[in-house]
Amino acid sequence: MLGAISSILVPVTDRIGELIERLDDQSGDGEEAKYDLIATGPSALSTLMDSIGQRTRFGKLLTIEIFDAWQDQRAAPSLITLLSDPDEAVREWSAGLLGRWPHTAAGPAFIVLHNRLLAESVPPHWTEPVAVRRSLTNLGLRLDVVPTLTASLATNAHGPRLWPAQRTADIVTELAQHDQVVLFIMAWRLGADGQLRWTKHETLGWEFDRSKPWEANVAEALEAVLTEASTLPDDPQLFVTIEWLNTGDLATKSLV
C-alpha cells in the first residue's frame, strides 16, 4: 500500500515543480502554469514559497497572483520578503496583497519600504508609494485624514473607495481645507452589469513638488483638480477615486 501511495505522490510533486519552473516563461506558458497551479490549490503552497527567490521578475509577479487567488495567508512570509525585492512592480504587488489581507506582521517591512521610497525621492503619486500608503493605513500604521463630508459621501459598495463624481469639487475643497494635498483623481463609470470601468478624463499633469512649501502644494493641487473636475460629465453613474497626501506621509517612520 505504501509503495502505491509513493508512486502517486512523486509524479504529483514533480508536476508541481514543473509548473513552478514554467512560471518564468513569458511566452504564454507561464500564464498557463499559473492557472494550473491555482487550480491545484494551496497544496502547492510550501513548494511555491520555497522557490520564490529563484523566480524571475515575471515569475514572481505570477506567483503573487497565485497567492492572491488562493487567499492563504500562510504565504505572507514570502510576500514580506518580496517587499525588499529589487523590482518596484514586485514590491508594489506584494504590498497591495499584504495590505488587503491585512497581515499585521508585515508592519516593520512596510515601514522600511516607506522610508526607502522617501530616501529615494520616489514621486508620491507613483503606484508603489500609493500601494504602500494604503497598506500602512489598513495596518493602522498611517493616519488617513478623512473629513466629515468626504467620509459621508464615500462608498465601498463596488470595491474601491469611491465618491460621486458630481461632488468631486466639494470633496477636494474640503480635503484642501484640512491641509491635504490631492495628488490625483480617476473617473469610473458604473455599468448596467454593476462593473466599474475606468473612464478617461482631461488631466493637467500636476505633480507634487518637494521643493515648494506644503501650503503651495495644497493650493496648486486643489486648483488643478478643480479644473479637471469641471470637465467631468454630470452623470450619476460616474464615480471618482481620490488619492491624497498628508504631512506625515513625507516623514520617516520608526520601527519602534
Side-chain angles (χ1 to χ4, degrees), residues 36-202:
D36 285 344
L37 283 165
I38 290 174
T40 299
S43 61
L45 178 62
S46 61
T47 307
L48 191 56
M49 290 176 65
D50 289 342
S51 67
I52 197 167
Q54 305 165 27
R55 302 277 65 78
T56 64
R57 171 186 184 275
F58 186 74
K60 289 174 182 175
L61 293 175
L62 292 188
T63 299
I64 296 168
E65 290 186 320
I66 294 169
F67 290 160
D68 195 3
W70 286 342
Q71 286 296 300
D72 191 324
Q73 293 199 29
R74 290 178 298 169
S78 289
L79 292 169
I80 292 173
T81 299
L82 292 180
L83 290 180
S84 59
D85 193 84
D87 185 83
E88 63 184 51
V90 171
R91 297 193 304 265
E92 177 194 335
W93 289 26
S94 300
L97 182 51
L98 284 167
R100 288 194 301 274
W101 275 347
H103 192 76
T104 55
F110 270 112
I111 290 174
V112 170
L113 180 53
H114 164 81
N115 292 343
R116 170 184 175 175
L117 297 177
L118 286 181
E120 295 177 356
S121 297
V122 177
H125 66 282
W126 284 17
T127 53
E128 184 182 4
V130 169
V132 170
R133 287 196 302 273
R134 290 175 180 174
S135 295
L136 285 170
T137 301
N138 291 341
L139 292 169
L141 299 174
R142 172 181 179 265
L143 175 64
D144 188 22
V145 178
V146 187
T148 304
L149 178 66
T150 303
S152 68
L153 293 176
T155 176
N156 294 91
H158 304 285
R161 187 167 55 170
L162 300 167
W163 287 268
Q166 296 169 318
R167 301 297 302 274
T168 303
D170 297 327
I171 296 165
V172 298
T173 298
E174 182 186 51
L175 288 168
Q177 290 169 346
H178 284 76
D179 209 26
Q180 304 301 289
V181 175
V182 179
L183 295 173
F184 60 84
I185 62 173
M186 296 180 69
W188 305 84
R189 190 174 302 281
L190 183 63
D193 57 358
Q195 297 297 310
L196 287 171
R197 292 176 176 81
W198 175 72
T199 302
K200 186 176 181 180
H201 75 279
E202 294 183 31

